[in-house]
Amino acid sequence: MHTVDVLVVGAGLAGLHTARLLAGRGLTVTVVERRRSLAAGIRTTGIFVRRTLDDFDLPEHLLGPGVRDVLLYPPSRRAPVHLTSDRDEYRVADMAGVYEHARRTAETAGARVLLGVRYAGVAGTVVRLEGAEPVTARFVVGADGARSRVARDLGLDVNRRLLVGAEYAHPIAEGPDAPAFHCVLDPRIAPGYLGWVIADGRHAHVGVAGYPRAMRAGVRHLLDDFAAGAPGRAAPTGPVERRGGPIPVGGVLRRLACPRGLLVGDAAGAVSPLTAGGLDPCLRMSELAAAVTEGYLRTGDQCVLRGYSGGALRARFRGRLMLRRLFAGLPSPVAAEAAFAVLRSRAGRAAAARILFGDGSFPDVRERAERAASGCLRR
């Protein structure tokens, strides 16, 4: 039976980044992923915000042109609120390429990545796998998505508030229009969230997301309806890729770690409750997770695990959680149109710009990670 210090379940961005950091700290790490190809089953649009691009080393050749313009549309699609930044705020990545790059860097650091292997449960230190022999692991990192089985098996918190999203992604012809991010707030097609088109001159992503209980026609049907007349959409010039999956929006979970393992990425609820952006939070929390894991395995001190509690992080999201509840409470197109009267005001535009272009989407946890790495992190 193969023995490792850490078994990471899930080869998404959070899992691979955590694995690379842990392997770089001298731990033996294996990553298991049920997909046979990292290009299959992609569940993210791949929008990286400026703060992530500034703080993390992402491969330039896998990033699309910068996007500075955001247009917010009411249900009528008339008179959108147009916001422009003086900096590139968003870039859409080739996520298949990003995942493959993350896999290579994790393997270069010393991690072992196994594709086509499904996590089947854990008993003590023995992890059962489908597609490979069992593994003995000192610690398990659950990077297995919004409906994490690792979370349930370890007795950790699980996501309760979920959106479901779907989108089309395809290449487009280059044109004269500047790259733009179009967002439509319409409870008829995206109850509790929005429909979006982001076109950067190379590719277009057209999607909708909302609370599944309110999407009576089904997310795929609503996506087709939205895509038929979505603002800013350009005609495909190549294959159309379909994506979709659940999105946790209840904020970072409280109980994220125990002596047998911890959670990262969507499994940890590391997604902005308001914007539903998860790429920046997953990278930042992975750094803290790696530091806490290494500190705990090195010292055996369970107090180190307290530094990975979601309670302190949730406190930073109180305002966004409140806005999430208000956002989810827009019951009709009439209410959404009325909300745009506020959004068009000077204060409303300033608030929208602060949310869309600001630096406060997710707290920086690097100081906490450094303290955890030294083994001295306490309540």
Side-chain angles (χ1 to χ4, degrees):
M1 187 179 295
H2 191 60
T3 300
V4 297
D5 291 319
V6 183
L7 180 77
V8 179
V9 180
L13 197 57
L16 291 170
H17 190 56
T18 306
R20 178 180 72 80
L21 294 172
L22 289 171
R25 295 168 187 259
L27 298 173
T28 56
V29 181
T30 293
V31 182
V32 295
E33 167 59 52
R34 61 182 179 81
R35 294 175 294 163
R36 296 186 180 276
S37 168
L38 297 183
I42 295 174
R43 293 189 170 187
T44 175
T45 297
I47 301 173
F48 286 93
V49 298
R50 173 176 45 79
R51 189 171 175 227
T52 317
L53 299 169
D54 289 344
D55 291 350
F56 294 92
D57 185 19
L58 296 167
E60 177 69 24
H61 70 283
L62 296 175
L63 299 170
V67 178
R68 300 186 176 197
D69 291 303
V70 176
L71 289 88
L72 304 174
Y73 297 80
S76 65
R77 313 290 202 271
R78 294 193 296 268
V81 174
H82 190 164
L83 304 173
T84 301
S85 173
D86 57 0
R87 301 172 290 186
D88 291 342
E89 295 289 346
Y90 305 99
R91 296 181 72 178
V92 184
D94 170 6
M95 287 308 297
V98 168
Y99 289 143
E100 188 55 39
H101 174 81
R103 174 190 177 182
R104 289 196 303 270
T105 56
E107 290 176 332
T108 299
R112 183 177 177 224
V113 181
L114 303 178
L115 302 183
V117 175
R118 184 185 294 271
Y119 166 83
V122 59
T125 61
V126 177
V127 182
R128 302 187 309 276
L129 303 172
E130 295 178 8
E133 294 298 319
V135 172
T136 298
R138 295 173 63 195
F139 206 71
V140 178
V141 172
D144 52 336
R147 297 189 176 104
S148 171
R149 179 171 175 179
V150 173
R152 297 196 301 271
D153 289 349
L154 296 184
L156 300 174
D157 286 352
V158 297
N159 292 297
R160 303 292 184 188
R161 296 178 64 82
L162 297 167
L163 302 177
V164 61
E167 76 166 12
Y168 297 131
H170 55 77
I172 59 175
E174 293 190 29
D177 295 337
F181 194 174
H182 304 264
C183 302
V184 179
L185 282 70
D186 186 345
R188 294 170 299 187
I189 57 101
Y193 193 55
L194 50 80
W196 66 89
V197 176
I198 186 163
D200 63 9
R202 297 180 186 174
H203 292 83
H205 294 256
V206 183
V208 298
Y211 289 108
R213 64 180 180 274
M215 303 177 93
R216 295 184 179 87
V219 65
R220 292 294 184 185
H221 179 76
L222 292 173
L223 173 59
D224 288 339
D225 284 352
F226 174 66
R233 186 182 184 187
T237 60
V240 177
E241 178 185 352
R242 295 172 179 262
R243 299 179 180 179
I247 308 166
V249 288
V252 178
L253 300 175
R254 296 182 184 277
R255 189 161 186 260
L256 297 173
C258 68
R260 293 189 295 163
L262 56 72
L263 308 175
V264 295
D266 283 7
V271 175
S272 170
L274 182 58
T275 65
L279 295 176
D280 183 77
C282 88
L283 289 171
R284 296 186 190 280
M285 282 200 69
S286 293
E287 295 198 338
L288 178 58
V292 167
T293 299
E294 192 265 343
Y296 169 64
L297 292 179
R298 177 166 54 82
T299 66
D301 184 355
Q302 293 188 21
C303 290
V304 176
L305 298 175
R306 296 176 186 168
Y308 202 66
S309 168
L313 292 173
R314 286 185 66 86
R316 298 286 299 273
F317 285 111
R318 285 174 183 157
R320 289 172 184 262
L321 284 166
M322 181 182 70
L323 288 172
R324 157 57 41 198
R325 288 190 287 271
L326 291 174
F327 200 6
L330 293 175
S332 68
V334 173
E337 291 281 354
F340 261 79
V342 177
L343 193 58
R344 291 189 178 98
S345 69
R346 188 172 183 177
R349 291 175 63 88
R354 190 160 54 248
I355 291 170
L356 294 167
F357 301 150
D359 293 330
S361 61
F362 197 84
D364 198 332
V365 297
R366 286 182 173 176
E367 182 180 348
R368 295 168 63 86
E370 290 171 2
R371 293 167 58 199
S374 68
C376 64
L377 189 57
R378 297 293 186 268
R379 280 188 196 276

